[in-house]
Amino acid sequence: MNTLQLGATGPKVSAIGLGCMGMSGMYGPSDRVESIATIHAAMDAGITLLDTGDFYGSGHNEMLIGEALRGLKPSQRDAALLSVKFGAMRDPAGGWVGYDARPAAVKNFATYSLQRLGVDHIDIYRPARLDPNVPIEETVGAIADLVKAGYVRHIGLSEVGSINIRKAAAVHPICDLQIEYSLISRGIEDDILATCRELGIGITAYGVLSRGLISGHWQKDAAGEKDFRAHSPRFQGENVERNLALVEALRKIAEAKGVTVAQIAIAWVAAQGDDIVPLVGARRRSRLDEALGALNVKLGPDDFAAIERAVPKGAAAGDRYAAAQMASLDSESRRA
């Protein structure tokens, strides 16, 4: 497994990371035993970066990762780099009730995460979204206090636009920005990617398969009622039909190279720069194995041109989130 420097100030991480959100109900039921086995298989393959959020399953995901870590050899456990998002609040029914990134809340959230994960520090700590009621300088300042105290090693951001990236970086070095980036989610290319590169901030790209939509495995109406995708505009009505047509165009290119659709989609993201680390949301070892195969896919100029013709920038039908969630994304605001 190759390693990459995560930004100018961050740790060295595996060239691909494991996003663990889907192991805690966001995409419907998941299997605890298989989830832990998948985390172990990822670590065995050399993946060191494990990404989670304290609100994934309302703490379930962190406890799951903590259990998985306890099942590893000490050397493997020490190699794991934990990236944790905080700030999104939920009610007992699983609903979303806003964001809280006040300094006191930051330290409270971190305390609970350390306990659930069973660790003495968090490698990368980041607010899940910009709290509209709290200046980002205050939020980052609170995380900086945790860095000084040894509870956090590095500070990251998530779904923040250029203006607030600069404000945050003026308070404390930022190692990476976590943001959706895939063949059908390329808004980062407008200005955010350039801002991060100017400031020496790496990118951890989530949604590289657009939550399975461009994996080559998705079928229309496959999302269950409790699956996040059942409420996502890109998975609904005519939108999903148009998006799956893009997938079929991509499939022809993948088959000509002897790889899968998922592998060529992941490889495309990885090829956009050595400052970009794709996060793959595999919930099962079979999907993890497929994703790891993307590391062996080499794309040349002809491949990039063919992919661009098949899936041009802006070709996706529907927004990546429902309207209310899109409104909370600083990265999508006109002033970002």
Side-chain angles (χ1 to χ4, degrees):
M1 175 68 69
N2 290 333
T3 59
L4 300 174
Q5 180 76 32
L6 193 57
T9 62
K12 285 192 174 182
V13 301
S14 49
I16 194 169
L18 181 65
C20 300
M21 181 182 77
M23 298 176 182
S24 294
M26 292 294 288
Y27 297 142
S30 57
D31 182 273
R32 171 185 155 275
V33 173
E34 180 61 22
S35 294
I36 291 174
T38 301
I39 293 172
H40 287 172
M43 297 292 291
D44 287 341
I47 289 178
T48 59
L49 183 62
L50 304 178
D51 183 76
T52 184
D54 62 11
F55 48 92
Y56 293 168
S58 301
H60 173 274
N61 204 243
E62 289 182 319
M63 290 188 287
L64 180 77
I65 291 172
E67 182 178 357
L69 292 177
R70 289 192 295 274
L72 294 171
K73 296 177 182 178
S75 59
Q76 282 186 305
R77 189 163 59 245
D78 292 342
L81 296 169
L82 302 179
S83 169
V84 179
K85 291 181 291 297
F86 69 87
M89 298 186 295
R90 307 187 73 170
D91 62 25
W96 303 96
V97 293
Y99 300 97
D100 191 350
R102 295 170 299 161
V106 171
K107 295 173 183 179
N108 178 71
F109 288 140
T111 301
Y112 282 92
S113 288
L114 290 166
Q115 179 69 24
R116 286 189 289 255
L117 289 163
V119 297
D120 61 7
H121 71 273
I122 296 167
D123 295 285
I124 308 169
Y125 202 47
R126 70 183 83 244
R129 299 287 186 268
L130 179 72
D131 184 338
N133 300 311
V134 180
I136 197 165
E137 295 94 331
E138 294 183 11
T139 301
V140 172
I143 308 175
D145 290 342
L146 293 172
V147 172
K148 291 176 184 176
Y151 296 116
V152 169
R153 295 283 170 84
H154 304 279
I155 300 179
L157 299 172
S158 177
E159 291 288 357
V160 176
S162 290
I163 291 175
N164 282 302
I165 291 171
R166 293 183 186 280
K167 289 180 179 179
V171 175
H172 189 279
I174 304 298
C175 72
D176 73 319
L177 171 71
Q178 188 172 119
I179 193 166
E180 186 166 358
Y181 189 29
S182 73
L183 276 167
I184 63 171
S185 296
R186 294 171 60 179
I188 185 177
E189 295 174 357
D190 293 341
D191 76 289
I192 291 174
L193 183 55
T195 298
C196 288
R197 286 175 168 165
E198 175 192 337
L199 298 175
I201 296 172
I203 300 292
T204 45
Y206 76 89
V208 292
L209 297 178
S210 196
R211 298 172 178 81
L213 181 59
I214 60 172
S215 67
H217 304 295
W218 187 258
Q219 297 180 353
K220 185 180 177 182
D221 300 324
E225 183 179 348
K226 293 185 178 181
D227 190 322
F228 164 84
R229 293 167 291 195
H231 310 285
S232 173
R234 289 185 175 173
F235 288 83
Q236 296 175 354
E238 293 182 358
N239 286 348
V240 72
E241 293 179 359
R242 289 171 56 188
N243 292 330
L244 289 177
L246 297 175
V247 175
E248 292 311 306
L250 188 61
R251 192 186 304 277
K252 294 178 181 178
I253 301 170
E255 289 178 346
K257 288 187 69 67
V259 301
T260 70
V261 176
Q263 288 169 341
I264 204 166
I266 296 168
W268 182 90
V269 174
Q272 301 310 304
D274 58 9
D275 53 353
I276 297 174
V277 178
L279 297 174
V280 296
R283 295 189 288 169
R284 301 190 297 278
R285 283 168 287 182
S286 59
R287 293 287 187 253
L288 174 65
D289 288 342
E290 181 182 24
L292 288 168
L295 296 173
N296 298 319
V297 178
K298 305 302 179 185
L299 301 176
D302 291 343
D303 297 314
F304 287 116
I307 291 169
E308 188 68 26
R309 289 192 296 270
V311 189
K313 183 177 180 179
D319 287 332
R320 54 194 182 103
Y321 288 103
Q325 291 172 298
M326 287 294 290
S328 73
L329 294 177
D330 185 61
S331 55
E332 294 283 346
S333 68
R334 292 181 180 178
R335 60 179 178 78

